[in-house]
Amino acid sequence: MTVHSQGAATAPQDAPREPGGPKAPQPPQRPAGAPEAAPAPRGRRGALPSGWLPYLLVAPAVLSMAALLLYPLAKNVILSFQKVDKIEFIQRRAPFHGVENYTQLLGDAQFWTVVLRSFLFTAANVALIMVVGSLIGLLLNRLGTWMRLVLSMALVMAWAMPIVASVTVFQWLFDEQFGVMNWLMRTLGFSGYEQHNWFETGLSTLVIVTVLVVWGSVPFVALNMYAGLTTVGGELYEAARMDGANGWQTFWQVVFPNLKPFFLVTTFLEVIWVFKAFTQVYAMNRGGPDRASETLPVFAFVEGQSQGHYALAAAISVLTIVMLVVVMSFYFRLILKQEEEQ
Amino acid sequence: MRPAAVVKNLGALALAGLFLFPVYWMFSSAFKPSGEILAKDPVFFFTPTLENFTKATGVEFFWTYVGNSLLVTVGAVLLALLVALAASFAIARMRFAGRKGLVLGVMMAQMAPWEVMVIAMYMIARDAEMLNSLGLLTAIYFVMVLPFTIWTLRGFIAAVPVTLEEAAQIDGCTRGQAFRKVIFPLLAPGLMSTSLFGFITAWNEFAMVLILNKDKAAQTLPLWLTQFQTAFGNDWGATMAASSLFAVPVLVIFVFLQRKAVGGMTAGAVKG
């Protein structure tokens, strides 16, 4: 889910249980003599002679994903090898263009700036989301019933705010003339905030987008972390305390190993969501000023829609997808490794 | 209370305030008289007015946006539930060639960067003469939420012990009846949480409708929200009123379903 969008919230708790299995052509190597692992015990036990029935059941899902996801994806890849600017677009022509779009992009300093910006933006956001989210999750676990209810309701409200609505609120909070932020800075005694334009540079725009993204994504991590913590048995904490562990040691030696799948999947999901976040970045300042806050999805969108370089935009999106797949394969390997360790 | 507990509780309160503030500010600004919206120093106490709401809902096509948004969102979610229920049942309970490939495909599809594919989507829609089509929009949103729905329901179905189903079959149920009478009722939390997240995704969607549906009669509420921000300045009162109206359905559904959904998620995950 686009983020926070947006959110595929149950997936993280669920995902670790299908650990990389489907990706692995061979099951993880086991030491000789070890009992053979059953890759998907729950499913297998329920296995029935099935015949054509499963195919009938999955057909609507497969067909609709093929028609509305795979086909546009393929069309997108083909388009990236064509020459389609405004003229061709109107004339509905699409001459073959070879790898021209790609060579143009890869030799363009602006493209690499955007790539670097996207990665830094993603890294900063995900790091903040995970650290702040985990800390609040730990706090939730130690609060009394009432305080926990208050804090989790506040988190739920922030989580549930529709992205487009929260973007408009943040624009208003950081408004040049009438924003609360400038008022707060003035009230706290900082000078220069009479008419401070928070959207003056690409960096400051992205900082505000970061505040928005972190604000909107932390609740997901915090509430799931809390749910995960409740599954860690109290006796483990007790044992750690008896051994004289301090808070930090308890976290690394008790909480973290127990919640490793949670951290792995949540971090991965957040990387995906932040990396492909579009609405937050685009609606905040249209990628401006002077295209200085564009991340890859916004760059592709602006190149295509505003500049009319449709095929070039397709090439950008293909490269974006390739980068996502690279991140994804890294994740699958991590999950697979973890599975082997167990 | 011990000092540590005081610090903890004060910290929690401060955090709650921090997370709530944008939500509070949106709702409070929506009720502010226009004079006070444009005050140099923000006004915290004021006589509430409905003028911003009147302005926001008074625009042409307002009810069309509402209808369109409801139609595409509810349509996409229901379709996804139906299709995903069948697919996830097959994936969780049956063995068939290509099952692993399908599971991988669903995982990959969950990560599809829809926003970067808008141009290809536009060209397909244009060539098929389906621009400004609510049907196409519904179909796209349906496929956007489908992988997640399959993924989650698969987990919930797998968490129901097979023995329950077998017992029902021994008692004389057919496989279909066993599903309807035994599994389906146990899936309620799963169905709720998946429809909740599907609803949010489709309700929020911005890029597709922006590109595909230029015709105002075929647009949805996210575009209505941005209408009050123009090159000539922003009508913040109307924007905040519109944002509030837009957020209310999601907030209400979320607050009502969240406990059940989160509880369901956790239960499903712990049962393993």
Side-chain angles (χ1 to χ4, degrees), chain A residues 227-282:
Chain A
L229 282 172
T230 57
T231 67
V232 178
E235 66 278 3
L236 284 175
Y237 294 113
E238 192 62 22
R241 207 174 53 81
M242 303 264 277
D243 290 345
N246 60 29
W248 186 249
Q249 288 166 328
T250 310
F251 179 79
W252 283 114
Q253 272 149 40
V254 178
V255 177
F256 187 73
N258 271 290
L259 294 184
K260 206 170 161 194
F262 160 80
F263 283 111
L264 217 53
V265 181
T266 313
T267 309
F268 167 72
L269 278 174
E270 293 294 348
V271 168
I272 297 289
W273 289 338
V274 174
F275 192 70
K276 62 177 203 174
F278 171 81
T279 309
Q280 294 97 324
V281 186
Y282 184 77

Side-chain angles (χ1 to χ4, degrees), chain A residues 186-251:
Chain A
R186 286 199 304 271
T187 312
L188 292 176
F190 292 95
S191 60
Y193 289 93
E194 276 311 308
Q195 299 240 320
H196 181 70
N197 182 2
W198 293 88
F199 300 100
E200 197 173 4
T201 66
L203 182 65
S204 59
T205 303
L206 283 177
V207 168
I208 295 169
V209 175
T210 300
V211 175
L212 166 70
V213 170
V214 171
W215 170 79
S217 312
V218 156
F220 169 75
V221 178
L223 291 167
N224 275 299
M225 168 98 177
Y226 168 63
L229 282 172
T230 57
T231 67
V232 178
E235 66 278 3
L236 284 175
Y237 294 113
E238 192 62 22
R241 207 174 53 81
M242 303 264 277
D243 290 345
N246 60 29
W248 186 249
Q249 288 166 328
T250 310
F251 179 79

Side-chain angles (χ1 to χ4, degrees), chain A residues 2 7-11 13-15 17-18 22 42-44 46-48 50 53-55 57-58 60-62 64-65 68-69 71-73 75-76 79 84 89 92 136 139 142-143 147 151 153-165 168-173 175 178 180 183 186 194 215 218-219 227 231 268 276 278-279 282 297 301 304-305 310 313 317 321 324 328 332, chain B residues 8-9 12-13 15-16 19-23 25-26 29 37-42 44 83 86-87 90 92-97 100 102-103 107-124 126-127 139 142-143 146 148 150-152 154-155 158 162 175 193 197 204 207 210-211 225 229 236 239-240 243 246-247 250-251 254-255 258 265-266 268-270 272:
Chain A
T2 46
T10 53
Q13 309 204 331
D14 191 36
R17 282 180 292 140
E18 190 80 55
R42 290 174 309 167
R44 195 153 296 239
L48 288 163
S50 316
L53 183 60
Y55 297 103
L57 289 174
V58 300
V62 171
S64 48
M65 283 199 280
L68 285 148
L69 181 55
Y71 176 53
L73 207 56
K75 173 101 183 162
N76 196 50
L79 182 62
V84 184
F89 190 73
R92 301 196 180 201
I136 297 182
L139 177 64
R142 306 177 116 229
L143 288 172
M147 226 15 152
L151 183 52
M153 276 325 270
L155 291 170
V156 166
M157 295 295 263
W159 186 7
M161 273 282 277
I163 297 173
V164 190
T168 61
V169 179
F170 273 70
Q171 287 173 321
W172 175 219
L173 288 175
D175 187 65
F178 311 112
V180 176
W183 169 80
R186 286 199 304 271
E194 276 311 308
W215 170 79
V218 156
T231 67
F268 167 72
K276 62 177 203 174
F278 171 81
T279 309
Y282 184 77
F301 187 86
Q305 286 307 308
Y310 300 98
S317 68
I321 294 167
L324 268 176
M328 210 148 61
F332 280 126
Chain B
K8 206 170 62 185
N9 285 329
L13 260 189
L15 278 169
F19 275 93
L20 270 185
F21 187 76
V23 185
W25 197 247
M26 174 183 80
S29 305
I37 279 267
L38 299 182
K40 188 161 156 285
D41 288 338
F44 288 90
V83 172
R93 283 286 200 259
M94 298 171 182
R95 298 290 113 183
F96 53 95
K100 279 192 169 182
L102 185 65
V103 172
M107 273 179 99
M108 303 269 276
Q110 205 169 302
M111 286 133 208
W114 287 92
E115 274 95 6
V116 301
M117 302 193 317
V118 282
I119 289 150
M121 204 59 108
Y122 177 86
M123 291 175 132
I124 292 168
R126 185 189 64 177
D127 295 344
F142 149 64
V143 174
L146 182 62
F148 168 71
I150 295 178
W151 186 254
T152 315
R154 180 206 63 93
V162 178
R175 205 164 178 195
S193 62
F197 295 110
N204 259 316
L210 177 69
I211 296 303
L225 279 193
Q229 297 169 276
W236 285 115
T239 304
M240 289 303 108
S243 299
F246 183 72
V250 181
L251 288 172
F254 215 96
V255 167
Q258 160 299 118
M265 278 184 235
T266 327
V270 175

Side-chain angles (χ1 to χ4, degrees), chain B residues 122-169:
Chain B
Y122 177 86
M123 291 175 132
I124 292 168
R126 185 189 64 177
D127 295 344
E129 306 204 338
M130 285 186 83
L131 290 173
N132 297 312
S133 153
L134 288 172
L136 181 64
L137 208 59
T138 310
I140 294 172
Y141 294 173
F142 149 64
V143 174
M144 265 183 201
V145 302
L146 182 62
F148 168 71
T149 316
I150 295 178
W151 186 254
T152 315
L153 287 181
R154 180 206 63 93
F156 276 98
I157 293 176
V160 177
V162 178
T163 42
L164 281 182
E165 228 178 312
E166 285 165 356
Q169 279 172 279

